[in-house]
Amino acid sequence: MSTAATSSDQTSTEAGVPDTISGPTLLQRAIVRPEIGALLGALLVFVFFTVITDKFLSPLGIANWLDDASTLGIMAVAVALLMIGGEFDLSAGVMTASTSLVTALLAVHAGWNVWFALLASLVFALAVGAFNGWVVMRTGLPSFIVTLGTFLALQGLNLGVTRLVTDTVQVAGIRGAAGYASAGAVFASTIDLGSTRIQASVVWWILLTVLGSILLLRTRFGNWTFAVGGSLHSARAVGVPAVRTKILLFMGTGFAGWVVGSCSILRFGSVQANQGVGLELQFIIAAVVGGCLLTGGFGSVIGAALGALIFGMARQGIVFARWNDDWFMLFLGVLLLAAVLVNNVFSKRAERIRR
């Protein structure tokens, strides 16, 4: 070995420069994950209500807060994907009622088989989602404005058509339609786990969370979603099909609205024309609690599912504790503000760690 090489090695050793660069620590890798805040929040809410009320961890209690969280969680998964892609959908709440109404009107008043009515309502939901995405990308208008217009249009359509056909604002009687038994087994059945009955919506929630997470983290479409949410101009510059990606994300919220609407109409047998109004804000809050930034490009499907779980546990925990329901709105406000602050801190630390 040459004298120069030996001298260089000695200098490096004396300066304390390591031979290899160590990777991020376990704590740093945890901070990078956008769902870490939601996980900690879910554990905190779980422990809190477990301590203050005996019913929370009973079989009936678990079934209740899982059921409460499931339909919110189904929508939160799709809304989270859309928010990661940099967009909002304010028509998501009313879409759950629209799909229920299409299914019920066709099955009850037009005499269709329930499965054909479900297929028609699915096409309707996907078409509305595609329209929202196309208008946003074609015009450059904020998705907040476009989907607010869709929200108002669907709400008026729901009320107008329902009243025109039934002379009321409700459609009922789907349990007597052909195909209800088999369709109900898919969307409205229960699974017995010991002394606990788990609704089919919980299974849909888990399934869509897993599929959504795989789609986001393991596929090219997931990379496109992060890219268009982080910087639309840069994504287009590297060849990401931005228009197709965002239209598909809007169609995803339409599909989730169809699943929730189908579970609702087949489980309860009736639907109100004004059902679902106002829930869109809860979907967005659940996604934000789960780690999604309002600016796009950062978030987690699993985090959004945990955000919905926090909602379900808190809402039912307040009931079990016999508190006034008004406290839930205070909880929502505090939770949203805390989630935004925590997400901003975590996202900045994640950027520093990645650099």
Side-chain angles (χ1 to χ4, degrees):
M1 181 180 295
S2 66
T3 303
T6 303
S7 177
S8 176
D9 291 343
Q10 290 174 346
T11 302
S12 298
T13 302
E14 291 170 359
V17 178
D19 293 335
T20 59
I21 300 175
S22 61
T25 65
L26 179 62
L27 177 60
Q28 288 175 328
R29 288 198 299 269
I31 291 175
V32 170
R33 299 302 309 165
E35 63 270 13
I36 186 66
L39 177 60
L40 295 175
L43 290 173
L44 180 62
V45 172
F46 178 83
V47 171
F48 177 75
F49 283 111
T50 299
V51 170
I52 69 170
T53 174
D54 296 334
K55 295 181 180 179
F56 188 76
L57 271 186
S58 67
L60 179 61
I62 294 173
N64 280 347
W65 47 260
L66 283 178
D67 183 25
D68 194 311
S70 61
T71 51
L72 176 62
I74 291 169
M75 289 302 307
V77 165
V79 169
L81 286 169
L82 183 63
M83 289 181 64
I84 294 169
E87 306 294 347
F88 295 91
D89 189 352
L90 295 183
S91 66
V94 73
M95 177 61 74
T96 62
S98 296
T99 53
S100 292
L101 287 168
V102 170
T103 301
L105 288 171
L106 291 177
V108 176
H109 292 274
W112 288 28
N113 184 285
V114 172
W115 282 108
F116 290 120
L118 286 170
L119 180 60
S121 63
L122 173 60
V123 171
F124 171 80
L126 295 178
V128 172
F131 173 78
N132 284 337
W134 179 83
V135 172
V136 168
M137 298 305 292
R138 180 73 175 178
T139 64
L141 291 171
S143 54
F144 177 89
I145 298 298
V146 172
T147 57
L148 178 59
T150 306
F151 161 79
L152 295 173
L154 287 177
Q155 187 178 6
L157 191 65
N158 290 350
L159 289 167
V161 172
T162 304
R163 194 179 296 275
L164 181 65
V165 175
T166 68
D167 290 328
T168 67
V169 292
Q170 181 184 45
V171 182
I174 195 172
R175 288 192 174 98
Y180 170 80
S182 56
V186 174
F187 292 99
S189 60
T190 58
I191 300 173
D192 292 334
L193 295 177
S195 57
T196 304
R197 284 192 172 184
I198 303 300
Q199 295 292 332
S201 57
V202 177
V203 178
W204 277 100
W205 175 32
I206 296 171
L207 176 62
L208 292 179
T209 299
V210 172
L211 292 178
S213 184
I214 293 173
L215 181 69
L216 184 64
L217 301 177
R218 296 288 184 265
T219 68
R220 182 180 298 178
F221 182 79
N223 293 333
W224 292 347
T225 300
F226 280 113
V228 297
S231 174
L232 183 59
H233 177 74
S234 299
R236 281 173 162 163
V238 297
V240 173
V243 174
R244 186 200 318 167
T245 300
K246 294 214 175 189
I247 288 177
L248 287 173
L249 289 172
F250 275 104
M251 292 175 70
T253 61
F255 174 77
W258 173 77
V259 173
V260 172
S262 300
C263 291
S264 176
I265 184 61
L266 292 172
R267 176 180 176 181
F268 299 109
S270 65
V271 57
Q272 296 283 339
N274 60 353
Q275 189 172 301
V277 175
L279 292 179
E280 57 281 337
L281 294 180
Q282 294 188 19
F283 304 153
I284 293 173
I285 293 172
V288 171
V289 170
C292 293
L293 294 181
L294 298 176
T295 52
F298 188 83
S300 166
V301 166
I302 294 177
L306 288 172
L309 182 62
I310 292 173
F311 270 57
M313 290 193 296
R315 188 148 47 199
Q316 293 301 315
I318 288 172
V319 173
F320 293 144
R322 297 183 179 180
W323 296 350
N324 192 304
D325 289 346
D326 294 339
W327 289 108
F328 181 69
M329 300 308 296
L330 172 64
F331 172 81
L332 283 188
V334 173
L335 185 64
L336 177 60
L337 290 174
V340 171
L341 294 174
V342 170
N343 290 347
N344 284 336
V345 171
F346 282 172
S347 64
K348 289 177 182 178
R349 289 186 179 180
E351 282 297 319
R352 289 198 295 268
I353 291 172
R354 288 184 181 122
R355 290 174 184 175

